[in-house]
Amino acid sequence: MSSIAINHIGFLTPGNYPADDPLSGFEKTLKLLEYGEGIGFQSAWARQRHLEPGISSATAFLAAATQRTSRIQLGTAVIPIGYESPYRLAEDLSTVDVLSRGRLNVGLSAGRPLHADLIAPLVFDGDWENYDFSHTRVLRFVDNLKSNPVGDETTFIKTPFGPQRPRLQPYAKGLTDRIWYGGGSLRSATWAGRNGFNLLIGNVTTGEQTDDFFVAQSRQLTAYREAGGAGRRVALGRVIVPTDSADTQTRKRYLDYAAGRNERTRTPQGERRTLYAHDIVGTSEQILERLFADPILPHVSELRLELPYEFEDAEYRQIIHDFASRVAPRLGWINDVDRSR
């Protein structure tokens, strides 16, 4: 058995809320981030979802989270950059990073964004079908974060503070080192490594010349590191649901949830041959047995707990508590909060 040494744990929240009461859902999710920080998690990530009762603006949500937390890293996993202005998004996320005092991690994806037929006519003017949704959009965003002067050396603008060289403000020092790309194919993993980004990989990937999820993901991780990603951060995501402190009814709910998603793991799905990992549900001992058999885990040091969409706040708290107290320490993780007390 290969050695596993996890030194960083995070969790990814779906940020669900009742459609008729979004405030209650946002408040519960913000408090979940506070709770996760208190029990030692080193990062908390927010999904960005459109047309659903979930977080549609990770930037706005995490701006609020910067004022409710003080230590935990905050991340977007991921923002589909196709709908975003690379310049305006750079302004917004730089502002969030400054508010967080340098705790922001920016996860991005490129390509034609989901629901484009419905949303793109509302976002873009003109012929959006020929818009550039490629990786180039990510590079433009990162270049904007550098806050280089706009124009030439003679270009100045009038401001209440006197003549100023025009540049993106605020400048968030170090944020360009905390850019992550959501890799799910050999092409995207190679591109992320070549361009010096950190890598987010999870429980969904593309099957290329294989029907085996772990083989496909292993090849992507190798491609990333060979392309220049060696030495950079890689965060592995898995859907993990401990049942230890759950009551009998909740345990059944968890197991039924996993059983309902098992069919999709049997064969590649759709034209892109999407492969899904099995959800890991059970006692901490059962979970650890599965994790120790995960061939990707020995090759990363950061593990991201991906919380299911359909659960309630109390269940999310129980899941992350059991994971941090019963599972993560057996993977080599040391709780910095307890150690500092």
Side-chain angles (χ1 to χ4, degrees), residues 108-315:
L108 300 167
S109 67
R112 181 184 171 106
L114 191 64
H115 307 308
D117 291 342
L118 296 173
I119 301 177
L122 307 176
V123 175
F124 306 117
D125 296 319
D127 182 15
W128 64 268
E129 290 278 5
N130 292 318
Y131 231 74
D132 179 13
F133 294 123
S134 72
H135 287 136
T136 302
R137 206 169 183 82
V138 176
L139 297 178
R140 287 170 54 199
F141 162 78
V142 176
D143 191 57
N144 289 328
L145 289 179
K146 297 175 183 176
S147 189
N148 294 320
V150 179
D152 59 30
E153 63 275 5
T154 66
T155 303
F156 286 82
I157 59 173
K158 294 181 180 179
T159 77
F161 314 102
Q164 300 280 326
R165 290 291 305 276
R167 65 179 70 231
L168 182 140
Q169 297 285 5
Y171 171 55
K173 184 178 180 180
L175 184 54
T176 54
D177 294 326
R178 286 175 270 119
I179 305 299
W180 299 71
Y181 194 77
S185 68
L186 286 169
R187 178 173 177 267
S188 63
T190 300
W191 182 85
R194 184 178 299 130
N195 286 278
F197 300 139
N198 304 304
L199 184 68
L200 291 168
I201 52 177
N203 69 322
V204 182
T205 195
T206 302
E208 298 166 279
Q209 289 83 50
T210 182
D211 292 350
D212 188 298
F213 174 90
F214 293 115
V215 170
Q217 193 161 75
S218 177
R219 289 173 178 171
Q220 291 160 17
L221 184 55
T222 298
Y224 168 73
R225 287 177 168 154
E226 289 180 348
R232 299 202 65 88
R233 295 173 66 185
V234 176
L236 173 67
R238 293 286 186 259
V239 177
I240 302 171
V241 183
T243 61
D244 297 82
S245 65
D247 60 33
T248 301
Q249 183 176 356
T250 303
R251 290 178 189 176
K252 183 179 185 305
R253 173 171 160 75
Y254 292 165
L255 292 169
D256 288 346
Y257 163 83
R261 285 158 47 101
N262 191 54
E263 185 62 31
R264 69 177 190 166
T265 67
R266 298 182 187 279
T267 57
Q269 304 292 304
E271 293 182 2
R272 296 189 62 187
R273 292 178 47 80
T274 301
L275 301 174
Y276 294 91
H278 290 276
D279 299 328
I280 306 174
V281 181
T283 65
S284 56
E285 291 300 326
Q286 291 170 327
I287 287 171
L288 286 163
E289 182 178 357
R290 295 273 298 279
L291 290 177
F292 283 127
D294 188 320
I296 310 299
L297 208 58
H299 302 286
V300 301
S301 60
E302 301 191 29
L303 181 59
R304 189 178 70 257
L305 179 63
E306 299 191 354
L307 296 174
Y309 285 99
E310 296 88 344
F311 295 171
E312 300 296 330
D313 180 62
E315 294 166 338

Side-chain angles (χ1 to χ4, degrees), residues 69-85:
T69 59
S70 61
R71 178 191 58 80
I72 196 169
Q73 295 180 34
L74 304 170
T76 67
V78 292
I79 295 176
I81 202 167
Y83 288 134
E84 310 291 340
S85 158

